[in-house]
Amino acid sequence: MRSKKNILVVEDNAINRMMLCEILTPEYTVLEAENGQEALLVLQECKEEISLILLDIIMPVMDGHTFLSIIEKNPSYASIPVIVATQSDSETDEIAALSSGATEFVTKPYNPQAILRRVASIIRLRETAAIINQFQFDRLTGLYSKEFFYQRVRETLEQTPDQEYDIVCSDIENFKLVNDIFGTPAGDRLLCSVADMYTGLVGEEGICGRLHADQFACLMKHREDYRDEFFIQAGAQISKTGSMRSIVMKWGIYAVEDRLLPVEQMCDRALLAARKIKGQYGKYYSKYDDDLRNQMLHEQAITDVMENALAEEQFIVYLQPKYSIITERLAGAEALVRWEHPKWGFQSPAAFIPLFERNGFITNLDQYVWEKTCAILQKWDSIGYPPIPVSVNVSRADIYQVDLADVLLKMVSRYGLAPSRLHLEITESAYTEDPDQIISTVRHLRELGFIIEMDDFGSGYSSLNMLNQLPLDILKLDMKFIQSETAKPMDQGILGFIMGLARWMDLRVVAEGVETREQLERLKEIGCDYVQGYYFARPMPSEEFESLLKRQDSTKEETEAEASSLGSTSLSGYILVAEEDDAYRNQICSLLRNRFKIIEAVTGKEALGFIVRYERELSGVVLSLTLPELSGFSVLEILQREKAVWNIPVVATAPPDPRTEDQAVEMGADDFAYKPCSAKIIERRLINAMERSLSYESRQTLHEDACRDYLTGLLNRRGLNAAVRIMKKEDAPMAVFLFDIDNLKQVNETLGHSLGDRLLKKFGDLLHARTRSNDILARFGGDEFLVIMRQMGSEETALKKGEEICGGFQNAALTDQLPISCTCGAVIWNNDVPLDNIISQADKALYQAKLNGKGGCSVRHQSGLPDSSNDRQNGSRD
Ligand code: C2E
Ligand code: CA
Ligand code: CA
């Protein structure tokens, strides 16, 4: 007959105890204890045999809570199920009992049926769990499975208290790669030979198990004299039987000092020691020591505060500029996070990113960084800086998030940004982990319009044939690689090869970690596109970066202004001179160089390469039709096909022949010059062609996203400037209106931003409805709108128009919870006063209108002289 199971009843009230015995005895053997302390003694005597504990809470000597907290800490008791008896009316008791580790509770007075049912079902549950745990052996290797290994180690430590032990763990470097390259069967064979090696290592009575994939562990008698040879030999054995060369294994050792520590944590410590030497050549093993212990404590401290730190916005986004190598102008930035801890001070990412990547917190931090980055971009747009992109780092863990694409897409649209403004830097090694999953996620992101950069290229192991399948736009060369490779001469380096590859795959290339002029020169030589590194600038707070942007913006205006003093419009950017005759080319270049930055090409192929690569920076081309390799005609033909470059002005040159001239113009050349003619003539034709295309180009840019405010669809400041640039004399006189939504801030705060947004949209629509199609409508700032109405010279008409719009807005109010209105200031613009100045006058009119009361309109006479005080009125007018 089956022996009865043992139940321990812990109850101070003798009558209750008796009752319980009565109920349980037919089915079970009952052991009794009067309080927690007695119960602990019973447990010590026969812990293995107890199937369940029935526990009273309120008892003298040691109460139920204390008892629970003690057994929960002891691994050999922790798995015994406990049913707690509580007063029927005491819900707090129940909650307290369950949270301190009880499995179930019953309420007093005892109901025999209910108790028997609970007891039986819980014992059954536990047995099932035990059966599951009986999968003692790892199917592949025959070693103990993880759970069972832990249990066996625990028992051994208890049974032989005087013997000192070590936990020894190992990890195979890049095991994933073994599977990828040699196939899973080979990977499995390798794991089996590791298991054999372990069994040999620990002998008959040793305990070894497989913890996870390629991680193994064993319990060995403690020794002080571990030597490299020992582990080298073990490794050699594996390589031999697994018939695979150069398998690198790292070992970690934890000398068991704290026997009460859960075995799982002992193994974690040993693995941590192994991880410390990952990637270090010639290091075979490492012991868990005080350093590692301190590191763990430090990591624990970080883990404890990280959530709070994020909530308190202690993390700050720094930006490191990226430059175009050819123009050496600002082309973008990388967002890098910093931690300003109130006590520990400034923390660099190396101190916390790897930890966050392990504990998963990186996804929270990354989203925070992305969001802050979007906010920065939005701010720049509203000021009207050039719309440069910023790249953010995307961790492997982020990619496994199911809704990554959704999160990113919603985020950019919330900030009114095109996805292409965010570049996503994904480290190369991510692609080697789970290529299929990563590739499909990244492909999706790319289809949505995000630009994908492969970070740290050259540090990982992505095979060249895989590179071909990866959804990528930009390769970002690993820093170490730049720093060692750039020292070598061109023809020896692998850099040149990679550049060729990148061109062939149509990828742009960024080099990071550029620290010296020499490195820069060499990168330039091999045709790298962008550079980032201390040579240019370190990562900096966004405000500092903004001043770089501002400076860049103003130097642009300077060069434009310089150029416009020569012609009437602004000419800037690069001129490509493609001419095979050295002497003639030099002659042209030396003249053009006074005014332009020059790129030279001597063959058609070279010319085309430059055009494709610098399409954005090119302002004009002088193209010889008799170039070698690829004729000038073929270059023209390709230029016509490529939409992105077809409006670059081209002056074609060839020996005198009217037919050639006709053909060139037919094929899209903007002008033609016989060769050799004087460089002066070429320059004149080039400038003319550029001026013609410039006004066309400005008109084009007005249709681009970068010129529009995302919310209202009106022009933004950038668009406004472009629109003003192409205004004609016939448009004058004009009325310039500045509208201000009166209560927007209050609406946002009390009724929510979405209503605020609707209000702005509404106003945009109203402007559309009440103006003519060739008037200029712009969202000028948060709640300010600028409108330029052409051919409106009368102050009276302007006033009427302004009042009409203000009135229309008041009637169209979306809410009656707050008074909604807008106020308007206007000025007539009829002479050569610059726009800035006119706006400042309109602003003064607006200020006057506000003084007269919200919702009205005021018109100012344009002051005859350019307004001397150019400051806008400050202070909140709301
Ligand atoms: P990374 O993505 O490879 O970033 C480039 C690192 O190189 C940055 O270090 C940058 O400051 C540094 N660096 C830039 N130019 C030079 C140079 O000329 N010489 C040298 N020696 N170093 C240069 P940082 O900011 O300490 O970041 C380290 C790593 O931490 C980053 O490497 C990235 O993997 C990670 N990280 C930083 N911010 C974030 C983030 O917001 N999210 C995620 N997931 N990872 C981040
Ligand atoms: Ca990066
Ligand atoms: Ca990198």
Side-chain angles (χ1 to χ4, degrees):
M1 216 192 88
R2 203 164 51 103
S3 64
K4 287 184 181 173
K5 300 207 161 64
N6 298 324
I7 292 188
L8 171 59
V9 169
V10 194
E11 162 77 75
D12 60 330
N13 181 316
I15 300 176
N16 276 346
R17 225 167 39 234
M18 230 165 63
M19 240 177 74
L20 286 172
C21 285
E22 201 85 282
I23 299 172
L24 294 167
T25 342
E27 283 277 324
Y28 306 96
T29 308
V30 178
L31 305 170
E32 300 178 45
E34 278 191 36
N35 57 52
Q37 202 153 58
E38 260 190 45
L40 284 178
L41 290 175
V42 178
L43 273 181
Q44 253 167 39
E45 280 197 346
C46 44
K47 59 169 183 280
E48 293 296 354
E49 289 101 77
I50 307 263
S51 298
L52 184 137
I53 301 170
L54 241 166
L55 178 71
D56 189 12
I57 284 295
I58 301 157
M59 293 181 295
V61 188
M62 182 193 284
D63 69 6
H65 289 305
T66 319
F67 173 80
L68 269 174
S69 70
I70 290 174
I71 68 164
E72 214 208 3
K73 279 199 208 92
N74 187 329
S76 41
Y77 303 152
S79 61
I80 304 175
V82 180
I83 297 184
V84 165
T86 59
Q87 294 301 333
S88 58
D89 53 348
S90 164
E91 197 180 326
T92 42
D93 264 7
E94 289 161 8
I95 292 169
L98 289 180
S99 64
S100 62
T103 321
E104 248 301 2
F105 55 85
V106 292
T107 46
K108 290 179 183 179
Y110 297 126
N111 167 342
Q113 286 314 316
I115 287 187
L116 279 173
R117 221 179 316 117
R118 290 261 154 93
V119 166
S121 81
I122 282 171
I123 289 181
R124 205 172 330 113
L125 200 71
R126 191 210 177 191
E127 282 173 351
T128 325
I131 290 170
I132 292 169
N133 280 337
Q134 293 295 315
F135 289 115
Q136 297 177 3
F137 299 104
D138 172 47
R139 283 223 214 117
L140 177 66
T141 63
L143 297 189
Y144 284 132
S145 65
K146 179 167 78 180
E147 294 304 330
F148 204 70
F149 172 74
Y150 293 161
Q151 191 178 324
R152 292 279 292 121
V153 169
R154 204 151 51 219
E155 285 163 7
T156 310
L157 291 176
E158 277 164 16
Q159 282 156 11
T160 49
D162 298 329
Q163 173 65 49
E164 291 185 64
Y165 287 101
D166 295 333
I167 292 271
V168 179
C169 289
S170 68
D171 203 340
I172 301 175
E173 292 222 324
N174 299 312
F175 178 68
K176 275 259 162 26
L177 210 65
V178 173
N179 273 336
D180 285 352
I181 296 175
F182 301 102
T184 316
D188 285 354
R189 271 201 306 283
L190 176 66
L191 294 178
C192 289
S193 42
V194 173
D196 292 345
M197 182 269 296
Y198 262 88
T199 329
L201 201 68
V202 298
E204 279 294 291
E205 78 255 57
I207 303 172
C208 31
R210 179 173 169 216
L211 300 181
H212 168 77
D214 57 325
Q215 292 174 349
F216 291 78
C218 65
L219 182 74
M220 304 219 301
K221 290 191 173 154
H222 175 67
R223 50 193 286 182
E224 287 291 340
D225 60 340
Y226 289 100
R227 298 221 179 298
D228 282 350
E229 291 71 42
F230 180 77
F231 298 102
I232 293 175
Q233 215 184 342
Q237 189 193 331
I238 295 166
S239 297
K240 208 166 84 203
T241 52
S243 62
M244 229 174 267
R245 263 178 296 153
S246 62
I247 289 302
V248 181
M249 249 177 134
K250 299 290 179 187
W251 298 78
I253 300 161
Y254 170 68
V256 180
E257 281 156 11
D258 177 2
R259 287 179 172 248
L260 289 182
L261 196 71
V263 181
E264 186 174 358
Q265 284 182 33
M266 298 181 186
C267 293
D268 281 351
R269 291 183 177 185
L271 285 170
L272 190 69
R275 193 164 62 221
K276 197 179 82 174
I277 50 170
K278 188 174 165 187
Q280 295 182 18
Y281 180 75
K283 284 256 199 245
Y284 301 92
Y285 73 99
S286 138
K287 291 183 181 178
Y288 179 85
D289 55 12
D290 280 350
D291 277 357
L292 263 178
R293 192 184 139 72
N294 289 337
Q295 186 191 327
M296 252 181 62
L297 289 176
H298 182 60
E299 292 196 342
Q300 191 52 51
I302 292 182
T303 311
D304 290 343
V305 300
M306 61 193 186
E307 276 166 345
N308 189 40
L310 190 60
E312 287 183 354
E313 308 216 336
Q314 290 171 12
F315 294 96
I316 301 160
V317 173
Y318 269 47
L319 296 172
Q320 186 178 29
K322 291 181 179 175
Y323 288 89
S324 152
I325 210 165
I326 172 88
T327 63
E328 298 197 12
R329 288 175 73 89
L330 204 52
E334 175 177 8
L336 293 157
V337 73
R338 300 291 181 260
W339 186 359
E340 192 73 72
H341 189 279
K343 287 214 196 77
W344 307 335
F346 192 85
Q347 306 280 307
S348 96
F352 56 90
I353 295 276
L355 171 65
F356 290 173
E357 282 177 334
R358 272 180 275 126
N359 69 16
F361 192 63
I362 193 70
T363 47
N364 303 32
L365 180 62
D366 277 345
Q367 281 192 21
Y368 172 87
V369 171
W370 305 339
E371 179 113 35
K372 288 282 173 204
T373 304
C374 287
I376 292 172
L377 284 168
Q378 186 190 39
K379 178 176 170 217
W380 292 348
D381 284 358
S382 75
I383 298 177
Y385 292 134
I388 62 165
V390 174
S391 61
V392 294
N393 288 283
V394 176
S395 282
R396 189 170 335 194
D398 300 327
I399 300 175
Y400 290 115
Q401 259 187 301
V402 276
D403 56 349
L404 175 66
D406 204 37
V407 167
L408 279 166
L409 199 60
K410 284 205 177 114
M411 199 180 282
V412 288
S413 59
R414 205 162 348 118
Y415 287 91
L417 302 168
S420 60
R421 294 292 293 288
L422 267 199
H423 287 205
L424 307 178
E425 291 192 8
I426 301 172
T427 182
E428 177 185 14
S429 60
Y431 286 93
T432 54
E433 289 262 310
D434 183 356
D436 294 341
Q437 150 99 42
I438 303 233
I439 289 175
S440 75
T441 308
V442 175
R443 177 164 299 140
H444 182 45
L445 287 168
R446 189 160 180 259
E447 281 160 8
L448 292 173
F450 294 98
I451 305 291
I452 310 296
E453 300 197 18
M454 183 193 262
D455 203 356
D456 308 323
F457 180 75
S459 68
Y461 300 87
S462 55
S463 61
L464 292 182
N465 91 46
M466 191 165 104
L467 199 57
N468 209 359
Q469 304 163 27
L470 299 181
L472 283 183
D473 301 283
I474 295 174
L475 280 188
K476 195 165 186 195
L477 300 175
D478 189 52
M479 183 170 327
K480 293 200 200 86
F481 192 67
I482 303 299
Q483 291 167 354
S484 62
E485 273 280 330
T486 39
K488 295 178 192 164
M490 166 86 152
D491 51 351
Q492 283 174 16
I494 191 174
L495 264 181
F497 168 72
I498 290 190
M499 288 309 304
L501 191 75
R503 290 278 160 264
W504 177 68
M505 289 175 47
D506 204 17
L507 299 175
R508 282 169 283 163
V509 179
V510 185
E512 72 178 323
V514 181
E515 293 180 349
T516 64
R517 182 85 218 169
E518 291 70 42
Q519 287 167 353
L520 175 65
E521 287 305 330
R522 186 157 138 72
L523 289 163
K524 209 180 250 180
E525 203 178 301
I526 60 170
C528 179
D529 303 279
Y530 302 100
V531 276
Q532 172 184 351
Y534 295 169
Y535 178 70
F536 296 92
R538 290 179 178 254
M540 58 187 81
S542 68
E543 299 76 36
E544 217 169 286
F545 187 90
E546 204 178 299
S547 58
L548 282 186
L549 259 182
K550 207 179 293 174
R551 217 177 308 149
Q552 164 129 328
D553 222 21
S554 64
T555 60
K556 183 169 129 224
E557 272 153 27
E558 265 165 37
T559 51
E560 280 176 0
E562 258 168 43
S564 68
S565 69
L566 301 165
S568 58
T569 37
S570 47
L571 303 173
S572 65
Y574 280 77
I575 300 297
L576 170 65
V577 178
E579 168 58 56
E580 67 275 22
D581 181 327
D582 290 341
Y584 189 44
R585 192 182 60 250
N586 287 340
Q587 214 183 321
I588 301 172
C589 290
S590 64
L591 178 70
L592 291 183
R593 210 165 265 128
N594 296 332
R595 187 168 293 181
F596 303 104
K597 287 167 279 184
I598 301 295
I599 311 170
E600 300 177 44
V602 287
T603 70
K605 264 195 185 152
E606 213 181 358
L608 199 61
F610 281 129
I611 290 171
V612 171
R613 197 170 333 146
Y614 302 119
E615 116 217 345
R616 281 179 203 286
E617 285 105 347
L618 268 191
S619 303
V621 180
V622 177
L623 180 68
S624 156
L625 294 175
T626 47
L627 290 172
E629 282 188 34
L630 187 70
S631 81
F633 280 117
S634 313
V635 175
L636 265 181
E637 197 186 326
I638 296 169
L639 278 179
Q640 285 304 302
R641 273 207 314 262
E642 295 295 322
K643 194 170 174 310
V645 291
W646 68 264
N647 55 2
I648 298 177
V650 177
V651 175
T653 64
D657 175 1
R659 261 186 329 190
T660 320
E661 183 169 353
D662 287 351
Q663 202 183 342
V665 173
E666 256 164 47
M667 288 181 67
D670 296 77
D671 210 336
F672 187 87
Y674 288 138
K675 69 174 180 183
C677 70
S678 87
K680 262 261 161 283
I681 291 185
I682 298 216
E683 182 186 55
R684 193 62 259 158
R685 303 225 159 131
L686 183 67
I687 290 176
N688 286 342
M690 286 167 71
E691 283 181 0
R692 279 197 302 274
S693 86
L694 201 73
S695 62
Y696 172 76
E697 212 176 286
S698 308
R699 213 162 292 142
Q700 284 295 306
T701 50
L702 283 180
H703 297 290
E704 287 174 8
D705 286 352
C707 287
R708 298 261 157 208
D709 169 53
Y710 71 99
L711 189 65
T712 58
L714 305 184
L715 297 172
N716 58 19
R717 282 205 193 195
R718 188 184 171 72
L720 175 69
N721 287 333
V724 169
R725 234 181 287 141
I726 55 175
M727 275 180 336
K728 294 194 281 295
K729 278 252 176 300
E730 304 87 87
D731 293 332
M734 290 168 281
V736 177
F737 299 82
L738 195 58
F739 291 93
D740 183 279
I741 312 277
D742 293 320
N743 300 328
L744 190 70
K745 191 157 166 263
Q746 227 180 324
V747 170
N748 280 335
E749 277 164 9
T750 53
L751 305 175
H753 279 82
S754 102
L755 187 76
D757 284 357
R758 269 168 50 214
L759 212 60
L760 289 168
K761 257 191 220 146
K762 185 101 206 166
F763 190 70
D765 295 345
L766 181 76
L767 286 183
H768 262 302
R770 308 269 172 134
T771 56
R772 284 168 301 188
S773 65
N774 65 350
D775 289 340
I776 297 176
L777 314 178
R779 177 158 170 214
F780 196 60
D783 56 356
E784 285 186 347
F785 292 78
L786 191 100
V787 175
I788 303 178
M789 299 192 193
R790 296 176 210 241
Q791 291 174 320
M792 186 178 285
S794 135
E795 282 164 27
E796 215 184 314
T797 321
L799 183 67
K800 255 181 47 208
K801 200 74 202 164
E803 280 171 347
E804 176 193 324
I805 292 177
C806 291
F809 188 58
Q810 241 155 349
N811 294 335
L814 290 166
T815 171
D816 46 16
Q817 283 169 271
L818 275 175
I820 302 293
S821 60
C822 73
T823 308
C824 169
V827 60
I828 303 295
W829 189 14
N830 53 15
N831 65 13
D832 289 341
V833 180
L835 177 67
D836 270 1
N837 196 286
I838 274 295
I839 292 174
S840 143
Q841 295 188 30
D843 194 57
K844 287 188 176 131
L846 175 62
Y847 186 66
Q848 186 58 49
K850 290 250 173 183
L851 289 180
N852 299 343
K854 286 177 182 172
C857 180
S858 145
V859 180
R860 251 174 98 94
H861 304 277
Q862 183 200 314
S863 51
L865 288 170
D867 198 310
S868 57
S869 65
N870 215 2
D871 324 320
R872 304 201 54 210
Q873 302 283 350
N874 288 323
S876 165
R877 287 171 305 214
D878 278 332

